[in-house]
Amino acid sequence: SGMDGDKPIRNRKIISNEIAFGYLASSNAMNKESINRFLLELNNNGPFVRKFFINIGGNISGHIGDYPNINIYKKGHIKDIDHFYEDCDIIIAPMVEGTGLKIKSLEAIEYGKPLIGTKYSTNDLPADCTWHSFLSIEHMARYVGNWLKSDNSEKNKQTISYLQHKSLELKDRLVARQLAAKNQILNSISEKRSLKKDLSLIKNEAK
């Protein structure tokens, strides 16, 4: 779906200051490696002060290891993507490698959700935020782990607000990029029509 249509942004209330992370993916080999490497590194960073859990949706749910320091809810196949995103405060997009546009990152931005990812998650997006482009999964997991060790509730809320602001900024830049691309195509069509018109006038004059 295009970026033009605004998705309904309905933030869930953070119950007892518990942060809900979300990860929605298919079970391809890269996703299996990416999410399990992230969870392993995050788990090894524990125990944590902040209460949090991770909603995992899609076929990837059946390929998650055992991580005792993390509450993981395996949701399986997601029928209603709107509800999945509604139930998450922050979307995580750890990726080990890859090129091209990432649907998971685009979806999170489209829903106006805070996004945390590696440079491979946003490598074709105009991202300008550290949280969107960590150099590696390990770097991302350590950063998130350190954040979850803080018991400063106000600071945590500010971080989530900041991340949401950066997602909305990124969405605006994407929409602007889309419009610029559309205008370029329209101008190109217009120039071709104009050239066609000029050529036909020249041909008529030559007769």
Side-chain angles (χ1 to χ4, degrees):
S1 64
M3 294 292 300
D4 300 312
D6 278 345
K7 294 280 183 193
I9 299 167
R10 294 193 294 275
N11 288 330
R12 66 176 212 106
K13 290 185 176 68
I14 300 180
I15 304 152
S16 69
N17 287 326
E18 202 171 10
I19 299 168
F21 290 94
Y23 180 75
L24 180 61
S26 65
S27 58
N28 69 42
M30 196 183 289
N31 289 341
K32 285 183 207 172
E33 186 189 347
S34 296
I35 190 62
N36 282 293
R37 260 174 68 177
F38 172 79
L39 292 172
L40 177 66
E41 188 70 34
L42 184 63
N43 185 72
N44 291 345
N45 259 281
F48 304 101
V49 176
R50 298 285 298 148
K51 286 184 179 177
F52 74 97
F53 58 91
I54 302 179
N55 290 320
I56 295 191
N59 292 339
I60 195 72
S61 300
H63 303 273
I64 302 297
D66 184 32
Y67 305 101
N69 284 324
I70 308 171
N71 286 330
I72 297 171
Y73 296 102
K74 300 170 189 177
K75 305 275 190 179
H77 174 68
I78 301 294
K79 286 181 184 172
D80 191 332
I81 290 177
D82 282 2
H83 279 161
F84 180 83
Y85 280 103
E86 215 176 298
D87 288 341
C88 299
D89 302 310
I90 297 171
I91 300 304
I92 51 169
M95 285 204 73
V96 278
E97 57 183 60
T99 55
L101 214 49
K102 303 301 177 294
I103 300 302
K104 286 191 288 289
S105 303
L106 265 182
E107 261 184 359
I109 292 156
E110 206 172 337
Y111 278 89
K113 284 290 177 181
L115 173 71
I116 303 176
T118 56
K119 62 179 181 177
Y120 301 109
S121 325
T122 55
N123 61 2
D124 200 34
L125 301 175
D128 69 345
C129 168
T130 306
W131 292 82
H132 289 166
S133 49
F134 285 106
L135 297 177
S136 69
I137 283 180
E138 286 72 22
H139 184 210
M140 173 182 162
R142 282 195 295 271
Y143 210 92
V144 172
N146 287 337
W147 179 53
L148 292 168
K149 285 177 180 176
S150 158
D151 60 355
N152 185 332
S153 177
E154 196 49 47
K155 196 177 175 187
N156 284 311
K157 281 177 189 169
Q158 282 171 6
T159 301
I160 293 173
S161 295
Y162 168 77
L163 288 174
Q164 183 166 26
H165 170 70
K166 295 310 280 184
S167 279
L168 293 171
E169 257 187 12
L170 190 50
K171 182 178 178 177
D172 287 344
R173 284 203 294 277
L174 273 169
V175 170
R177 190 167 81 175
Q178 251 188 4
L179 287 173
K182 278 180 188 171
N183 287 337
Q184 208 173 354
I185 292 164
L186 290 172
N187 288 339
S188 173
I189 291 166
S190 174
E191 279 168 20
K192 280 175 187 168
R193 280 182 183 154
S194 178
L195 188 64
K196 219 173 175 182
K197 203 174 174 185
D198 290 347
L199 286 171
S200 67
L201 283 172
I202 291 163
K203 276 180 188 171
N204 287 337
E205 281 172 13
K207 279 176 185 175

